[in-house]
Amino acid sequence: MVVPSLKLQDLIEEIRGAKTQAQEREVIQKECAHIRASFRDGDPVHRHRQLAKLLYVHMLGYPAHFGQMECLKLIASSRFTDKRVGYLGAMLLLDERHDAHLLITNSIKNDLSQGIQPVQGLALCTLSTMGSAEMCRDLAPEVEKLLLQPSPYVRKKAILTAVHMIRKVPELSSVFLPPCAQLLHERHHGILLGTITLITELCERSPAALRHFRKVVPQLVQILRTLVTMGYSTEHSISGVSDPFLQVQILRLLRILGRNHEESSETMNDLLAQVATNTDTSRNAGNAVLFETVLTIMDICSAAGLRVLAVNILGRFLLNSDRNIRYVALTSLLRLVQSDHSAVQRHRPTVVECLRETDASLSRRALELSLALVNSSNVRAMMQELQAFLESCPPDLRADCASGILLAAERFAPTKRWHIDTILHVLTTAGTHVRDDAVANLTQLIGGAQELHAYSVRRLYNALAEDISQQPLVQVAAWCIGEYGDLLLAGNCEEIEPLQVDEEEVLALLEKVLQSHMSLPATRGYALTALMKLSTRLCGDNNRIRQVVSIYGSCLDVELQQRAVEYDTLFRKYDHMRAAILEKMPLAEQDGPQADEEAKESKEAAQLSEAAPVPTEPQASQLLDLLDLLDGASGDVQHPPPLDPSPGGALVHLLDLPCAPPPPAPIPDLKVFEREGVQLNLSFIRPPENPALLLITVTATNFSEGDVTHFICQAAVPKSLQLQLQAPSGNTVPARGGLPITQLFRILNPNKAPLRLKLRLTYDHFHQSVQEIFEVNNLPVESWQ
Amino acid sequence: MIKFFLMVNKQGQTRLSKYYEHVDINKRTLLETEVIKSCLSRSNEQCSFIEYKDFKLIYRQYAALFIVVGVNDTENEMAIYEFIHNFVEVLDEYFSRVEPIDEFPKICSALEPQQACFSPDSSSFKGAASTTPIY
């Protein structure tokens, strides 16, 4: 029993009737099965109907490749209905990637040369849609012949096919170039339109063609002029404008021909002015033509007056209530802003108005244009507008807006304070969307603006107290509080209302940042470092800070843990160096790579070790009386050569740099004491940068059989010199050449007074306590001259 | 250059689609859904041009039907906008109501000459009714 096949209409209705996706799929699958069966049976009568249904199904997104062969069969048939569907199928189903498409070349060829006009039309259509390069090459001569046929219907299509061929195979331009000139003389708009497109394609692809076609500029101008001045023609006018599509196309071609070419541009000038003034702009068609005119004016070498006219037209567009037109105007103004900056500036207020649009496309364009329009004279006003926009704009524009504002602020900031304010505002409103280097830039900026330290730190503190979720803001604020915490607590700042800030509050805030789950690891690092710095800036007790630091010594995050351990060690063993390491940072170089914290720390360490001004240590730095005992020698100082590596990276930096660079002429070592295998040696170093400084390393060695314990060495110098003793490496020297104790003496001798040194030693050796006091003789002259 | 031409109804079902550049069939449905979503979410006051990935979408609404054209950067958006309207008027002329359910093959063939390179050949659209034999 033969089931009569559905007509296309019925199938469509059935599909429409399906309520769910699954149902629709079912219907389609059933039908596809029928179609496949029918194809297999080779039923010629209904083939076209089956294929039509298949094409519909294909359009809905279902696979339909089994219909490809049927297309071929249908094309080859002699019935028109078959051919029609067959060609349509070929256009939709066949494409260059499958070799099957070449099989229709022959059919097309036959149809092109022998078919009736509609058939030729079909064949041309198909060729223009899916013709591959080989097909184009084969069929080019046929198409060329058809270009000159009398019937406009076929000629139109032939021209369009020629356009496609040129796109696929640019070498064919030589074939299609000659007929163009003749085709331009046609009156039929369809042919004209096609020809203009063809010429546009040719010119875009080959400079030779471009030169060739410059000759026809006068002719084009004439055509356009006739179009514009021609009265109302029922056939061609759309809302009062005669054939806007043709006008637009001609204008586009004129643009290409006139680009960078003075002569053609001059020919066009009058015409463009005429079009610009005469076009009726009440309807969209007129606006379309006007827009194209403006684009053309902008691109060719037009007279200055014409350009001003173009900008004014765009300005008028901006005020139009129709959003499409405004969008188009904003886009073109953006292109113009580079070349005609001052002209566009006049429309700045309107552009800024457009920022407030609710439409996303418009506001994006307005944003780009506003950013391009910022210059030093209008920067404050523009920034205000842009910041207001930032608060209300959709999230995808935020990042662009934020970075745009920051860039503009950098280029045009009138004062540093304004700059800092602006960046602060951006960080508070759109903190998560700023670029990564915004933080670094801001810290750089604040660091450089000495007079604004108090102001910035106070503002940042306030901002941080309100909200700790915006990471860049938190990072900058933490850094600032760390650096300038003393200014924060000092209380007075004339630019902002006075706020009493408690030490405890500051510490609590930083701890909150550390513990918050919103903080990124980098932010935590900043907060921890800030806490450490505050330990020197604040005058209170450091216990809280020490507690926090030691907690983080077992943090899971490696970076944080490392820092915490370093800082903890700093508290415990190197307390006297803490203030020096944590003092205010010098300004990092602007143009180098991002100055990171490590680099800054190592810089400080370098400053420390070179004979920089002696930092104020909490411990005693002067030993005036020989009998004063050294206080709190609680840590070990690692001398060069370093003995064990310490856990911290910062301290490694410290150690990598020599405590004192090698002197030009080494002063010989001096053995000053020897008793029962215990020796004391002095080695002298005078760093070249600081001639007043003398570094003496005292080394105690033990070659005896018994250990030396509780070893303490003290020294005294004449009053005109300053002596500083650093903590010894230990107070035990194991027997038989065990690890010696080293200790560093720093002597400042600015007056180059003769050096005299008195030493006092106390230690236990062989269960006896030994005490020795002696003056060092034979001190080399070089040590103090 | 026109990349594609879609007619979609308000429920998001594609009524007609024509691609001028090869797009894989599974990517097509994806593309269509995304495009439709962005067009449907626009309100009346917003402009008809959307930027989507690297094309521009120009859409126009006619009662329950949306017509969306995807173009690349070189096109004059307003001319395309006009073209959409022109096309609808041509259809209207032929079928006296804009509901391209039945005449799917005819519409496809009507679309051909107009878009092979976006030069709407039915610029004489009334003439198109007579001169362009749509079968």
Side-chain angles (χ1 to χ4, degrees):
Chain A
M1 191 168 82
V2 178
V3 177
S5 52
L6 290 172
K7 287 172 54 185
L8 176 60
Q9 262 161 290
D10 301 334
L11 174 65
I12 295 179
E13 278 181 26
E14 241 188 74
I15 292 180
R16 290 273 186 93
K19 302 261 186 328
T20 65
Q21 182 80 310
Q23 223 176 342
E24 181 183 304
R25 238 183 315 208
E26 222 183 277
V27 167
I28 289 180
Q29 269 176 1
K30 211 173 57 176
E31 194 53 42
C32 280
H34 278 297
I35 296 177
R36 255 192 290 241
S38 161
F39 284 163
R40 258 198 320 266
D41 296 336
D43 170 19
V45 175
H46 294 123
R47 205 181 276 151
H48 70 277
R49 186 190 291 174
Q50 307 290 42
L51 191 62
K53 284 188 283 190
L54 189 61
L55 292 178
Y56 185 77
V57 159
H58 171 78
M59 190 185 76
L60 290 177
Y62 297 90
H65 43 269
F66 51 89
Q68 284 172 0
M69 282 305 153
E70 303 306 315
C71 297
L72 302 180
K73 290 189 203 152
L74 283 171
I75 293 176
S77 129
S78 53
R79 281 172 44 194
F80 184 73
T81 35
D82 286 350
K83 277 196 194 289
R84 170 175 69 146
V85 183
Y87 273 119
L88 190 58
M91 276 190 269
L92 292 177
L93 297 178
L94 292 175
D95 67 68
E96 296 187 342
R97 295 155 205 236
H98 309 116
D99 292 327
H101 75 280
L102 289 169
L103 296 170
I104 62 172
T105 316
N106 216 16
S107 308
I108 295 187
K109 194 171 192 153
N110 287 338
D111 284 334
L112 282 180
S113 37
Q114 294 149 13
I116 51 171
Q117 279 191 14
V119 169
Q120 283 176 326
L122 282 177
L124 285 168
C125 268
T126 312
L127 190 54
S128 63
T129 317
M130 43 76 67
S132 65
E134 294 90 19
M135 286 171 71
C136 292
R137 275 195 210 104
D138 287 337
L139 297 168
E142 306 292 325
V143 174
E144 195 198 341
K145 254 187 289 174
L146 290 173
L147 273 180
L148 303 166
Q149 273 221 345
S151 145
Y153 170 70
V154 173
R155 277 167 105 180
K156 247 183 344 190
K157 296 205 190 248
I159 297 177
L160 294 176
T161 315
V163 172
H164 174 84
M165 285 183 166
I166 301 274
R167 285 198 182 134
K168 281 278 177 202
V169 187
E171 295 86 37
L172 287 174
S173 42
S174 50
V175 172
F176 292 116
L177 207 133
C180 289
Q182 185 189 354
L183 286 169
L184 267 183
H185 291 286
E186 293 296 321
R187 314 284 308 278
H188 189 268
H189 280 211
I191 296 185
L192 268 182
L193 195 47
T195 314
I196 306 251
T197 318
L198 181 60
I199 298 180
T200 315
E201 281 294 320
L202 286 170
C203 291
E204 273 175 5
R205 274 154 221 276
S206 119
L210 190 62
R211 276 191 296 275
H212 174 92
F213 283 115
R214 289 226 171 91
K215 287 183 262 164
V216 304
V217 167
Q219 201 174 355
L220 291 170
V221 166
Q222 187 54 39
I223 299 176
L224 190 52
R225 186 165 283 145
T226 339
L227 269 182
V228 171
T229 51
M230 173 163 83
Y232 179 75
S233 135
T234 42
E235 244 197 36
H236 297 294
S237 79
I238 292 186
S239 35
V241 181
S242 44
D243 207 345
F245 300 109
L246 183 57
Q247 290 194 30
V248 161
Q249 206 71 1
I250 295 184
L251 285 166
R252 195 176 296 174
L253 180 58
L254 285 176
R255 183 157 86 228
I256 297 178
L257 291 178
R259 202 177 278 163
N260 297 334
H261 194 244
E262 284 287 339
E263 208 188 299
S264 326
S265 312
E266 250 171 285
T267 339
M268 293 180 223
N269 274 336
D270 292 337
L271 173 67
L272 291 171
Q274 189 179 11
V275 172
T277 38
N278 282 0
T279 316
D280 171 23
T281 53
S282 54
R283 307 291 297 274
N284 186 55
N287 284 326
V289 174
L290 209 51
F291 177 51
E292 194 72 33
T293 318
V294 167
L295 289 177
T296 307
I297 294 179
M298 280 171 6
D299 257 353
I300 64 175
C301 341
S302 46
L306 209 50
R307 291 184 92 92
V308 170
L309 179 63
V311 176
N312 287 345
I313 294 179
L314 287 177
R316 253 200 348 254
F317 275 179
L318 269 184
L319 296 167
N320 197 312
S321 50
D322 183 355
R323 285 185 168 70
N324 295 339
I325 300 183
R326 269 200 261 182
Y327 174 84
V328 146
L330 285 173
T331 323
S332 352
L333 279 175
L334 191 60
R335 269 189 268 182
L336 263 186
V337 87
Q338 306 300 328
S339 43
D340 295 87
H341 193 90
S342 46
V344 182
Q345 279 284 358
R346 257 182 279 135
H347 300 289
R348 190 170 61 81
T350 336
V351 173
V352 169
E353 268 298 312
C354 292
L355 270 180
R356 309 212 184 98
E357 285 286 336
T358 42
D359 181 343
S361 321
L362 270 185
S363 45
R364 177 187 293 273
R365 292 282 171 204
L367 175 66
E368 286 173 12
L369 191 53
S370 316
L371 286 172
L373 281 179
V374 174
N375 64 17
S376 36
S377 48
N378 60 23
V379 66
R380 280 188 202 255
M382 286 298 280
M383 278 302 146
Q384 247 177 324
E385 293 286 338
L386 286 171
Q387 281 172 346
F389 177 64
L390 185 62
E391 283 170 17
S392 56
C393 75
D396 42 346
L397 285 182
R398 281 237 171 119
D400 292 330
C401 190
S403 34
I405 293 181
L406 291 177
L407 265 170
E410 213 173 290
R411 283 172 62 193
F412 298 116
T415 59
K416 278 207 172 145
R417 178 174 157 183
W418 181 89
H419 195 181
I420 292 181
D421 279 342
T422 313
I423 301 188
L424 218 61
H425 188 254
V426 171
L427 284 181
T428 23
T429 34
T432 37
H433 299 272
V434 295
R435 272 195 349 248
D436 299 331
D437 56 355
V439 172
N441 285 345
L442 183 56
T443 50
Q444 175 76 19
L445 189 62
I446 293 182
Q450 188 112 18
E451 65 282 7
L452 292 172
H453 283 169
Y455 172 73
S456 345
V457 72
R458 192 166 288 279
R459 282 213 57 187
L460 281 168
Y461 177 76
N462 288 341
L464 191 62
E466 284 175 17
D467 170 25
I468 60 170
S469 63
Q470 309 251 33
Q471 296 302 302
L473 180 65
V474 172
Q475 287 173 3
V476 176
W479 182 86
C480 248
I481 293 178
E483 278 291 301
Y484 309 119
D486 46 343
L487 291 175
L488 180 61
L489 296 171
N492 304 338
C493 171
E494 63 283 359
E495 291 165 352
I496 226 182
E497 66 270 11
L499 173 69
Q500 256 325 97
V501 180
D502 216 5
E503 272 182 29
E504 293 301 316
E505 287 175 13
V506 178
L507 293 181
L509 187 60
L510 283 176
E511 280 173 31
K512 192 164 127 193
V513 170
L514 265 180
Q515 287 157 6
S516 160
H517 59 274
M518 291 187 280
S519 304
L520 296 174
T523 316
R524 292 215 173 96
Y526 272 96
L528 195 60
T529 313
L531 268 177
M532 267 310 283
K533 289 186 200 166
L534 281 180
S535 71
T536 48
R537 313 262 195 269
L538 303 182
C539 25
D541 191 5
N542 286 337
N543 274 335
R544 190 165 172 180
I545 299 180
R546 289 187 72 158
Q547 227 177 341
V548 174
V549 163
S550 55
I551 290 176
Y552 277 88
S554 43
C555 170
L556 281 178
D557 180 4
V558 178
E559 165 81 23
L560 266 186
Q561 187 186 70
Q562 176 176 325
R563 281 179 196 244
V565 169
E566 284 172 32
Y567 294 150
D568 202 29
T569 319
L570 203 55
F571 267 124
R572 280 192 286 117
K573 295 189 200 172
Y574 301 100
D575 215 14
H576 50 280
M577 286 165 53
R578 190 160 48 91
I581 290 186
L582 297 173
E583 70 180 8
K584 290 219 168 80
M585 286 187 190
L587 199 58
E589 288 99 40
Q590 188 105 28
D591 40 2
Q594 300 297 339
D596 56 4
E597 306 228 20
E598 292 258 18
K600 288 185 188 163
E601 283 184 46
S602 63
K603 251 193 168 183
E604 292 183 84
Q607 281 182 348
L608 169 66
S609 62
E610 283 170 27
V614 179
T616 50
E617 301 285 12
Q619 293 84 7
S621 53
Q622 316 255 5
L623 193 62
L624 297 177
D625 191 343
L626 188 59
L627 293 176
D628 282 340
L629 291 177
L630 272 175
D631 168 38
S634 47
D636 299 316
V637 167
Q638 304 282 19
H639 276 311
L643 295 179
D644 344 310
S646 62
L651 292 173
V652 169
H653 280 260
L654 178 62
L655 296 170
D656 283 342
L657 301 161
C659 245
I667 308 172
D669 289 351
L670 190 64
K671 183 163 124 183
V672 299
F673 174 76
E674 155 97 57
R675 177 182 158 150
E676 293 170 342
V678 181
Q679 282 180 3
L680 204 70
N681 275 346
L682 298 183
S683 59
F684 302 90
I685 296 176
R686 289 194 69 173
E689 306 82 58
N690 192 342
L693 181 65
L694 171 66
L695 300 171
I696 301 182
T697 307
V698 177
T699 313
T701 46
N702 181 6
F703 296 110
S704 67
E705 297 297 316
D707 295 336
V708 166
T709 51
H710 301 103
F711 181 90
I712 294 177
C713 172
Q714 291 151 337
V717 292
K719 286 225 167 32
S720 54
L721 287 79
Q722 286 176 4
L723 171 67
Q724 179 196 352
L725 287 118
Q726 299 202 341
S729 62
N731 37 27
T732 305
V733 190
R736 296 189 212 101
L739 197 66
I741 296 176
T742 51
Q743 191 168 5
L744 181 69
F745 296 170
R746 291 171 63 112
I747 296 178
L748 267 179
N749 188 357
N751 303 327
K752 297 202 191 304
L755 177 66
R756 290 172 56 199
L757 190 64
K758 207 164 186 181
L759 292 177
R760 177 184 182 227
L761 304 175
T762 54
Y763 58 89
D764 290 342
H765 194 205
F766 295 126
H767 310 289
Q768 286 174 351
S769 109
V770 176
Q771 186 185 336
E772 295 273 351
I773 303 176
F774 56 89
E775 184 167 341
V776 178
N777 302 319
N778 321 325
L779 280 170
V781 176
E782 300 90 330
S783 60
W784 50 269
Q785 263 185 346
Chain B
M1 244 194 70
I2 297 191
K3 303 277 181 185
F4 56 83
F5 184 99
L6 295 176
M7 282 168 97
V8 186
N9 75 355
K10 263 203 164 148
Q11 280 84 41
Q13 295 172 322
T14 316
R15 291 282 169 244
L16 176 70
S17 76
K18 194 96 192 45
Y19 287 86
Y20 293 95
E21 263 188 354
H22 184 80
V23 177
D24 281 338
I25 196 156
N26 28 4
K27 291 209 190 101
R28 283 188 198 191
T29 13
L30 196 64
L31 179 72
E32 280 161 34
T33 11
E34 281 182 21
V35 162
I36 292 161
K37 221 180 358 180
S38 32
C39 292
L40 286 177
S41 57
R42 310 275 280 182
S43 69
N44 270 340
E45 285 109 38
Q46 293 179 314
C47 81
S48 303
F49 311 134
I50 309 176
E51 280 149 43
Y52 169 75
K53 291 198 193 158
D54 54 346
F55 354 99
K56 285 191 251 197
L57 299 173
I58 297 156
Y59 72 93
R60 232 181 146 146
Q61 185 178 6
Y62 293 95
L65 200 63
F66 276 89
I67 300 191
V68 185
V69 177
V71 287
N72 69 0
D73 286 334
T74 54
E75 286 294 340
N76 179 343
E77 294 94 338
M78 307 197 25
I80 301 264
Y81 192 72
E82 199 57 44
F83 166 66
I84 296 179
H85 192 67
N86 192 17
F87 175 70
V88 167
E89 287 185 354
V90 168
L91 287 185
D92 204 20
E93 194 59 28
Y94 280 122
F95 308 115
S96 48
R97 66 186 204 291
V98 185
E99 277 233 66
I101 320 175
D102 313 330
E103 311 296 348
F104 164 66
K106 299 189 189 172
I107 294 175
C108 270
S109 3
L111 228 34
E112 284 329 306
Q114 299 178 11
Q115 289 157 351
C117 53
F118 177 49
S119 34
D121 243 350
S122 58
S123 52
S124 58
F125 67 92
K126 287 198 172 47
S130 49
T131 61
T132 315
I134 302 287
Y135 312 94

